[in-house]
Amino acid sequence: MLTLTIVALYLCLAGVGVYLIKQSFAKNHARYPPGPRGLPLVGNIQDIPHVKPWLTFAEWGKKYGDILHINVLGQHIFVLNSFNIAVEMLDKKSSIYSDRPFVPMSGELMGYGQTLPYLRYGERFRLFRKNCHRIFGSRAAVVVYHPIEETETRRFLKRALAKPDQLQAHIRHTAGAIILRICYGYEVKDDNDPLVDIAERALDQIARYGITGDFMVDFLPSLAKVPEWFPGAGFKRIARECRETLEEMAAAPYNFVKDQMAAGIALKSFSSDLLKDRTLTTEEDYVVKWSAQSLFSGGAETTVSANYSFFLAMTLSPDIQKKAQVEIDSVVGHDRLPSFADRTSLPYIEAICKEILRWNVVLPCTDHSVTEDDIHDGYNIPKGSLVIPNIWSMLNDPQKYANPSEFNPERFLAKDGKEPETDPRMVCFGFGRRHCPGLHLADASIWISTAMSLAVFDISKVVENGVEITPKVDFTSGLISHPKPFKCSIKARSEKAFALIQQDI
């Protein structure tokens, strides 16, 4: 009996040994995915484009496959052009794929390493997420903020009708008003609000300077120690100015809500809910302050891009606009504006909102970093590698979306026995533990703006000197992608629509 036990033990140890040897062999012999061939020492540093890199990544994907590898000065970068691969890696193995890379320019020098999108994976990150989930974690949780979104959208209708040539500014103002009220209980002024101005300044800076790799310091972190006056160190001045703006953006509204609470007049908000009935430690105060700032900056910018895209799409798609208006008229009528209570009864409006999110991808690419060595599908993914899901490519995949460049809401409606195409909200808000925590709030803001605008506006091409001006479909390159400025005509659909717009709020 003892002999059998010893034999069994030896067999068990042998099996473990064989397993470990196989794992070691697999790790040592696993190859990198294919990708463009780089140069000695510097790798692919000359191959990575600075303008709309997601387009180049998508083209490389056609040649090299859904997961490809590039190397920049020894930094391994893996681009994922496939939704399924992104799910397999970033969702199912989120425990090791949820870090962010250290980014010397935007993360360290500009100060964005303090915000949730840049925060390294760890305890502070989990606290940020916990705060956000507590307030915005589900559609049901954001219902309490629906009246704010409806009120501010009605104010937007008035401004857009009065000055349609300032459409983008109106959209930005409205997004700022909604998120400031929700995050801090702050009600913006009609024009030139100081907090909206700070936000616009900060968001413009991160859009212009926040792309990883646009500055050499991202590849040579030692350059961060170069003094600002040194020749060629202009990036240090840019970073300092951006950091000052960011710190002001975080502190000003946070101090406002604290002052309001001390005076006993604070409105309900994300910050006041986290601050009330508590004495915070220095760390807790920091987490609340920067959690709120992260929601403020994220919510203020992403919905601007989506809502501006809506007006571009409607300018170019009169038939879609008319079909949407028929649905609203039949469900809502002409005597009131749509509200969130109508949402389940307006499937075509819902489809338009999905198509807005797919057609112009607000965040075309995001960055993940790996905290442990991994082997995925036979490929070696070393610890510290940068993993980039190409969200633009996934939402323009002709295998999933027929004629992806076409704006077509009907792709999301079951028709003639065909199943709807993949809901873009499964993709556009990110993956794993890095998905957007304010996605339900953003989704609601886009929906109410779309529904109310279609209820009262006729949106069309501008006519100048007898010539109809067709806007060009082109989107900016940057961390966040916006439609490039365009002209459109915005008019009230009828006298009843005009009266609804002008109603007192």
Side-chain angles (χ1 to χ4, degrees):
M1 186 69 178
L2 183 60
T3 304
L4 289 175
T5 303
I6 292 173
V7 170
L9 179 61
Y10 277 127
L11 288 173
C12 181
L13 291 173
V16 171
V18 169
Y19 172 79
L20 292 174
I21 290 170
K22 283 185 175 180
Q23 288 295 100
S24 177
F25 182 85
K27 180 178 176 181
N28 292 331
H29 291 79
R31 65 196 190 284
Y32 297 122
R37 195 170 183 177
L39 298 171
L41 300 178
V42 297
N44 301 102
I45 193 168
Q46 293 182 328
D47 298 324
I48 298 180
H50 294 287
V51 177
K52 298 181 181 177
W54 49 89
L55 299 181
T56 300
F57 292 159
E59 285 302 311
W60 285 349
K62 294 175 185 177
K63 182 176 182 180
Y64 299 111
D66 290 336
I67 175 171
L68 58 93
H69 171 255
I70 48 182
N71 183 308
V72 177
L73 296 173
Q75 171 67 61
H76 294 288
I77 302 173
F78 300 87
V79 178
L80 315 180
N81 284 308
S82 159
F83 170 71
N84 292 335
I85 288 178
V87 169
E88 288 293 324
M89 295 177 72
L90 308 181
D91 282 353
K92 294 185 179 180
K93 293 192 278 188
S94 61
S95 62
I96 64 170
Y97 280 93
S98 293
D99 200 12
R100 283 286 198 245
F102 171 72
V103 185
M105 182 61 180
S106 55
E108 185 70 17
L109 296 177
M110 289 169 59
Y112 280 86
Q114 302 171 92
T115 67
L116 183 59
Y118 281 78
L119 204 60
R120 304 299 300 270
Y121 189 68
E123 183 59 28
R124 185 175 277 179
F125 170 82
R126 285 186 283 271
L127 288 171
F128 273 48
R129 296 283 302 189
K130 182 179 179 182
N131 284 344
C132 297
H133 183 77
R134 174 180 162 189
I135 309 298
F136 301 129
S138 66
R139 271 195 175 186
V142 301
V143 167
V144 67
Y145 299 111
H146 282 175
I148 296 170
E149 294 182 297
E150 290 179 352
T151 297
E152 293 300 338
T153 303
R154 291 178 65 186
R155 289 173 177 159
F156 161 75
L157 300 179
K158 278 189 178 183
R159 288 191 288 267
L161 184 64
K163 297 180 179 179
D165 58 322
Q166 298 178 24
L167 174 63
Q168 192 171 26
H170 299 322
I171 292 173
R172 193 177 292 278
H173 182 94
T174 301
I178 290 171
I179 203 67
L180 277 166
R181 175 66 178 81
I182 289 172
C183 284
Y184 304 102
Y186 178 87
E187 297 190 72
V188 304
K189 299 174 183 177
D190 283 342
D191 296 298
N192 302 318
D193 185 274
L195 293 189
V196 173
D197 290 345
I198 293 169
E200 289 186 1
R201 213 162 65 241
L203 295 169
D204 176 66
Q205 288 171 345
I206 188 62
R208 291 170 62 190
Y209 306 122
I211 299 178
T212 302
D214 270 7
F215 295 89
M216 187 54 65
V217 68
D218 285 338
F219 302 113
L220 297 173
S222 60
L223 292 176
K225 297 177 182 178
V226 173
E228 191 174 310
W229 52 263
F230 196 81
F235 70 92
K236 293 290 291 289
R237 175 189 55 78
I238 292 171
R240 174 177 52 78
E241 293 172 355
C242 292
R243 190 181 191 102
E244 289 169 356
T245 305
L246 177 67
E247 294 283 355
E248 187 180 3
M249 184 184 183
Y254 191 58
N255 292 335
F256 165 83
V257 73
K258 282 187 167 183
D259 291 342
Q260 294 291 100
M261 292 181 74
I265 55 174
L267 298 175
K268 176 181 172 59
S269 69
F270 172 84
S271 297
S272 65
D273 280 354
L274 293 173
L275 290 170
K276 67 183 179 183
D277 304 325
R278 298 173 64 193
T279 300
L280 274 62
T281 65
T282 301
E283 172 66 11
E284 288 171 336
D285 185 72
Y286 178 96
V287 168
V288 173
K289 174 183 175 179
W290 286 97
S291 296
Q293 191 282 336
S294 298
L295 286 168
F296 177 23
S297 57
E301 189 69 358
T302 52
T303 54
V304 170
S305 175
N307 287 332
Y308 198 40
S309 295
F310 159 76
F311 278 89
L312 175 60
M314 292 303 98
T315 303
L316 297 169
S317 311
D319 292 342
I320 290 172
Q321 182 177 175
K322 286 182 174 62
K323 188 169 183 177
Q325 289 168 337
V326 168
E327 180 181 74
I328 290 173
D329 293 345
S330 65
V331 172
V332 179
H334 301 276
D335 299 323
R336 66 177 179 88
L337 288 167
S339 71
F340 284 104
D342 302 305
R343 186 164 186 174
T344 57
S345 303
L346 298 169
Y348 197 70
I349 305 304
E350 191 78 16
I352 287 177
C353 292
K354 291 178 183 178
E355 184 68 338
I356 290 165
L357 291 169
R358 189 205 65 81
W359 186 58
N360 172 34
V361 184
V362 175
L363 288 167
C365 290
T366 58
D367 296 343
H368 291 240
S369 184
V370 192
T371 55
E372 296 178 13
D373 290 341
D374 187 33
I375 294 176
H376 185 82
D377 208 16
Y379 292 130
N380 183 21
I381 315 291
K383 177 181 177 180
S385 296
L386 186 65
V387 179
I388 302 176
N390 187 355
I391 293 174
W392 183 91
S393 179
M394 297 174 199
L395 293 177
N396 283 271
D397 181 356
Q399 301 298 316
K400 289 187 177 291
Y401 301 102
N403 301 315
S405 62
E406 178 186 354
F407 187 88
N408 177 23
E410 298 203 15
R411 68 175 78 246
F412 300 114
L413 300 172
K415 189 177 181 182
D416 300 329
K418 287 186 177 181
E419 288 295 312
E421 294 178 359
T422 304
D423 188 336
R425 292 173 298 192
M426 297 172 61
V427 184
C428 68
F429 290 113
F431 295 92
R433 299 174 192 181
R434 286 290 176 176
H435 76 271
C436 173
L439 64 93
H440 298 295
L441 192 64
D443 178 59
S445 293
I446 294 164
W447 187 88
I448 196 65
S449 180
T450 297
M452 283 192 177
S453 297
L454 285 167
V456 296
F457 289 150
D458 276 329
I459 305 161
S460 60
K461 298 176 184 177
V462 167
V463 176
E464 294 181 347
N465 301 320
V467 178
E468 193 175 64
I469 307 299
T470 300
K472 185 179 179 182
V473 178
D474 193 11
F475 304 104
T476 62
S477 181
L479 197 64
I480 296 172
S481 180
H482 295 266
K484 290 186 177 178
F486 63 92
K487 294 180 179 180
C488 68
S489 170
I490 300 174
K491 297 179 180 178
R493 290 179 61 201
S494 65
E495 289 185 7
K496 281 192 173 183
F498 182 83
L500 286 173
I501 297 168
Q502 300 301 330
Q503 278 180 348
D504 292 332
I505 302 170

